[in-house]
mmCIF file of all heavy atoms in Angstrom:
data_model
loop_
_atom_site.group_PDB
_atom_site.id
_atom_site.type_symbol
_atom_site.label_atom_id
_atom_site.label_comp_id
_atom_site.label_asym_id
_atom_site.label_seq_id
_atom_site.Cartn_x
_atom_site.Cartn_y
_atom_site.Cartn_z
ATOM 1 N N GLN K 373 -0.237 3.002 -2.178
ATOM 2 C CA GLN K 373 -1.152 3.238 -0.933
ATOM 3 C C GLN K 373 -0.810 4.594 -0.306
ATOM 4 O O GLN K 373 0.249 5.270 -0.485
ATOM 5 C CB GLN K 373 -0.645 2.146 0.062
ATOM 6 C CG GLN K 373 -0.828 2.494 1.463
ATOM 7 C CD GLN K 373 -1.089 1.468 2.621
ATOM 8 O OE1 GLN K 373 -2.132 1.654 3.230
ATOM 9 N NE2 GLN K 373 -0.189 0.607 2.739
ATOM 10 N N CYS K 374 -1.714 5.187 0.449
ATOM 11 C CA CYS K 374 -1.537 6.403 1.166
ATOM 12 C C CYS K 374 -1.735 6.155 2.730
ATOM 13 O O CYS K 374 -2.593 5.267 3.092
ATOM 14 C CB CYS K 374 -2.418 7.522 0.641
ATOM 15 S SG CYS K 374 -4.134 7.259 0.508
ATOM 16 N N GLY K 375 -1.197 6.981 3.463
ATOM 17 C CA GLY K 375 -1.346 6.797 4.974
ATOM 18 C C GLY K 375 -0.975 8.199 5.656
ATOM 19 O O GLY K 375 0.012 8.798 5.300
ATOM 20 N N GLU K 407 -7.508 0.000 -0.865
ATOM 21 C CA GLU K 407 -8.124 0.953 0.099
ATOM 22 C C GLU K 407 -9.635 1.272 -0.245
ATOM 23 O O GLU K 407 -10.011 2.288 -0.548
ATOM 24 C CB GLU K 407 -7.354 2.181 0.385
ATOM 25 C CG GLU K 407 -5.799 1.861 0.722
ATOM 26 C CD GLU K 407 -4.919 3.101 0.752
ATOM 27 O OE1 GLU K 407 -4.591 3.641 -0.345
ATOM 28 O OE2 GLU K 407 -4.684 3.521 1.839
ATOM 29 N N GLU K 410 -11.509 4.275 0.867
ATOM 30 C CA GLU K 410 -11.099 5.540 0.242
ATOM 31 C C GLU K 410 -11.360 5.573 -1.247
ATOM 32 O O GLU K 410 -10.912 6.479 -1.935
ATOM 33 C CB GLU K 410 -9.636 5.756 0.587
ATOM 34 C CG GLU K 410 -9.552 6.177 2.080
ATOM 35 C CD GLU K 410 -8.053 6.051 2.609
ATOM 36 O OE1 GLU K 410 -7.138 6.007 1.820
ATOM 37 O OE2 GLU K 410 -8.020 5.977 3.891
ATOM 38 N N ALA K 503 -8.244 0.277 4.186
ATOM 39 C CA ALA K 503 -7.376 1.322 4.098
ATOM 40 C C ALA K 503 -6.347 1.367 5.126
ATOM 41 O O ALA K 503 -5.246 2.017 4.947
ATOM 42 C CB ALA K 503 -8.194 2.613 4.102
ATOM 43 N N SER K 504 -6.471 0.548 6.210
ATOM 44 C CA SER K 504 -5.491 0.495 7.262
ATOM 45 C C SER K 504 -4.144 0.287 6.663
ATOM 46 O O SER K 504 -4.008 -0.700 5.951
ATOM 47 C CB SER K 504 -5.897 -0.656 8.216
ATOM 48 O OG SER K 504 -4.670 -1.104 8.902
ATOM 49 N N ASP K 505 -3.162 1.081 6.973
ATOM 50 C CA ASP K 505 -1.891 1.097 6.326
ATOM 51 C C ASP K 505 -1.186 -0.362 6.359
ATOM 52 O O ASP K 505 -0.734 -0.884 5.324
ATOM 53 C CB ASP K 505 -0.879 1.971 6.932
ATOM 54 C CG ASP K 505 -1.372 3.444 6.707
ATOM 55 O OD1 ASP K 505 -2.350 3.647 5.998
ATOM 56 O OD2 ASP K 505 -0.724 4.345 7.256
ATOM 57 N N CYS K 508 -3.413 -2.996 4.556
ATOM 58 C CA CYS K 508 -3.358 -2.778 3.049
ATOM 59 C C CYS K 508 -2.000 -3.304 2.603
ATOM 60 O O CYS K 508 -1.988 -4.037 1.582
ATOM 61 C CB CYS K 508 -3.543 -1.374 2.751
ATOM 62 S SG CYS K 508 -3.251 -0.906 1.032
HETATM 63 CA CA1 CA M 714 -3.682 3.424 3.911
#
Side-chain angles (χ1 to χ4, degrees):
Q373 148 156 237
C374 48
E407 303 173 286
E410 291 166 16
S504 158
D505 296 349
C508 170

